[in-house]
Amino acid sequence: DILQRLESKKIRERQDGLSDIQEFFVRDSSINELDSREWTIVFEALHTALMAEKADCLKKTTKNLHSGAAAERRAGEVATVFRSLLERCVHQLNKGAVTHILSKLLDAMIYQYRLFIPVSLSLIKAARAMLSFEPHLEHLEDNVWVRWVTIGFNIIFGEPTKKKLSE
């Protein structure tokens, strides 16, 4: 199963799962077959893979100096697939899926109250794609909007992402 491979603890299996999911969704017809609930499951698996790669990036190791760079590359690849799929299926997501996915995007792109650079550009573009779809923007809950705006301003001003607008 593709999603199980994405959620694997083994790097090679996650890489195979990422390749398989790209291949599976190459046709628009396969994009249109899934409903919002199923897309949430797909993005949950991609988030799990992304968090595993992020954890690998953050491991302190002297064993191999290139392992950190390889993990950053893999994390970037997962983030790019996440964005690409989200851009293609955004019109099929309901309010609950949008809120859940936006939360997962923040979870993946923030580390120690700062942007996690290897994935942040792709994930910000993913959020933009989702929020550029007017029905999603119009039905976004106030607390979700405030959280994204707050983090955005904090990033622009070089502040920790946890800082509140009122501070």
Side-chain angles (χ1 to χ4, degrees):
D1 179 48
I2 295 172
L3 300 182
Q4 287 176 331
R5 283 194 297 278
L6 278 173
E7 295 175 328
S8 174
K9 298 203 182 307
K10 297 179 181 175
I11 294 170
R12 181 77 248 151
E13 288 183 20
R14 287 195 306 268
Q15 290 294 284
D16 290 345
L18 192 62
S19 294
D20 292 346
I21 202 163
Q22 287 177 287
E23 190 175 311
F24 182 81
F25 288 114
V26 76
R27 293 181 329 275
D28 285 338
S29 60
S30 57
I31 294 286
N32 295 328
E33 288 176 9
L34 275 61
D35 64 20
S36 190
R37 182 188 57 78
E38 293 164 324
W39 276 115
T40 302
I41 294 167
V42 169
F43 286 115
E44 190 66 40
L46 281 166
H47 177 262
T48 299
L50 186 52
M51 296 306 284
E53 300 301 352
K54 182 178 176 180
D56 284 352
C57 289
L58 301 172
K59 282 182 186 171
K60 303 289 187 217
T61 179
T62 56
K63 189 169 69 170
N64 183 354
L65 295 176
H66 300 290
S67 64
E72 286 183 7
R73 179 189 50 75
R74 291 191 311 269
E77 289 170 357
V78 176
T80 299
V81 171
F82 198 113
R83 175 184 53 84
S84 174
L85 284 177
L86 191 55
E87 289 171 343
R88 294 177 62 208
C89 77
V90 69
H91 60 282
Q92 294 174 254
L93 301 174
N94 64 23
K95 180 181 175 179
V98 169
T99 301
H100 182 76
I101 292 168
L102 283 172
S103 174
K104 295 300 181 180
L105 290 174
L106 283 177
D107 185 38
M109 73 178 173
I110 303 294
Y111 174 70
Q112 293 184 342
Y113 307 110
R114 302 278 181 209
L115 280 181
F116 182 62
I117 299 301
V119 301
S120 60
L121 182 59
S122 285
L123 299 184
I124 289 169
K125 286 180 178 181
R128 181 188 65 192
M130 195 173 333
L131 296 175
S132 293
F133 187 62
E134 197 168 324
H136 293 332
L137 184 59
E138 288 175 358
H139 295 99
L140 197 62
E141 294 178 18
D142 291 346
N143 63 325
V144 175
W145 177 251
V146 169
R147 184 171 180 217
W148 274 87
V149 169
T150 301
I151 288 171
F153 274 115
N154 286 335
I155 290 167
I156 290 168
F157 294 124
E159 298 289 341
T161 56
K162 69 176 179 175
K163 187 174 180 182
K164 301 210 180 311
L165 286 176
S166 59
E167 293 177 11

